[in-house]
Amino acid sequence: GLKIVTIGGGSSYSPELIEGFIKRSETLPVRELWLVDIEAGKEKLDIITDLAKRMVRRVNANIEIHSTLNRREALKNADFVTTQFRVGQLDARKKDEIIPAKYGILGQETNGPGGMFKALRTIPVLIDIIHDCQELCPDAWIISFTNPAGLNAEAVLRYTGWKKFIGLCNSPTVIVHRIGRLMNLDPKQLRVDFAGLNHMVFGLHTYYQGQDISKQVIDALAAYNDGKTYEERFDTLPYTPAFLHELNCIPSPYLRYYFYKDIMLQHAIKEAENGCCRAQVVKRIEQELFANYADPALDVKPKELEQRGGAYYSDAACSLIDSIYNDRGDIQVVNTLNNGGCASFAADEVVEISSVITKEGPRPITVGRLPDQVEGLCRHIKSFEKLTAKAAIEGNRETALFALTMNPLVQDEALAKALLEELMEAHREYLPQF
Ligand code: NAD
Ligand code: G6P
Ligand code: MN
């Protein structure tokens, strides 16, 4: 049987993961699931652990649930390690979102200055985890959901010798489901070939039962009308028909932070003025969720989890583990070394790309160059990611300043300097390398 270790086990997403393993128990013999957290997350971890045990008991699944604050104890002989932790918890995210807004800049937890500082806090922890794995479970696969998922994978694959590391995001799955709904097509029969970077990924071609329907998909996205203005659609589809037709591929939802940055910024500033931000909203959702999870009568994943952005995460993580373990050779979207998949990137750069998944891991499909419409932006962000990874590993402030200066949401050295200093100070306790 398999031993799975989940780092950040107290996350509200854990019940999805457990549901995913239960659903696959016929083909994926998970025997032990170890949920790992830290002292600050103990209360959440305990609630999740009890719920997990009830979920397993309900269906009589043969999965032992363990929970611990001792990561090394958990990692011994693990087969798969998943990560879903948040260094500094939601208070750190709040700073990532609120502080840049004061400077008239979008913070955002995965793009821009927010994403950069999330990476600077996260990468040292990932490096420690890799060291533990090298010693305690050298053959394990690490499947990492922790954001910024692509940038973190870039740091690990470039700067450590560890090869079996895959970054994972739910948004490609969300996109496929959205297209299915929009066009009234079964999402399972849809194949979208994705390439680009995490949160900057593009659906280049779409096939339905083998037929190329790429043009129809763009038309359907452009025709989308829910009665709202584009400004009001900031959290769904703010793209105009003209923009979509010229773009001519399916945009990541995160494209809105670059091409509709004023709408997004005004929204962030308005929230910040009211002392609010997405981190605060998530805190409230979490409080309700955990009150719910603690109910001893609850023994399934509650529907309310869908209010969180990570929907379909368990499907992505469990499918990936299933395909590696069972050597399936199906196609899934992952963050991995490009190795010739997309001609816009070097072999040793991490990309988010549709890949064939076997027991050897992901092998990117061949997609050629990205279209002119998006290639430049993707290259730009790749440079930002590589410089941020370098700064995070070396603890180099000058490199960090340069990375922040060139971020498409900043692009001004004086502004970057002031912002960097304030964020460095605000996050000091989680930035041991600086
Ligand atoms: P959360 O705030 O609930 O954090 C999860 C747990 O991590 C908490 O219980 C916390 O105590 C724990 N933690 C913090 N530092 C830790 C450490 N050093 N070691 C072990 N555990 C630690 O976070 P969440 O909202 O559930 O999200 C978890 C992570 O998943 C975040 O990094 C988030 O950005 C990411 N995420 C990724 C995607 C994606 O598409 N890849 C989608 C949603 C969330
Ligand atoms: C999306 C993204 C994630 C992101 C999440 C935020 O699904 O793919 O990478 O972290 O949403 O969700 P939240 O509920 O935390 O705002
Ligand atoms: Mn994501």
Side-chain angles (χ1 to χ4, degrees), residues 130-141:
I130 301 283
H131 287 151
D132 284 351
C133 290
Q134 277 162 340
E135 187 187 329
L136 298 164
C137 53
D139 294 323
W141 280 95

Side-chain angles (χ1 to χ4, degrees), residues 7-14 36-42 44-45 71 83-90 93 109-110 118 122 125 129 144-149 152 167-172 198-199 254 282 286 290 308-311 313:
I7 299 177
S11 162
S12 64
Y13 291 111
S14 287
V36 181
D37 214 289
I38 52 173
E39 192 58 46
K42 184 162 189 314
K44 285 166 59 172
L45 179 67
R71 183 172 78 207
T83 86
Q84 48 177 39
F85 59 89
R86 184 186 298 283
V87 178
Q89 286 79 20
L90 285 168
R93 175 175 181 178
E109 66 151 350
T110 66
K118 196 170 190 317
T122 302
V125 177
I129 292 173
S144 191
F145 191 55
T146 302
N147 272 322
N152 292 338
L168 194 59
C169 174
N170 65 325
S171 61
N198 180 233
H199 292 190
Y254 283 81
V282 168
E286 274 215 342
F290 276 87
R308 291 296 309 280
Y313 152 53

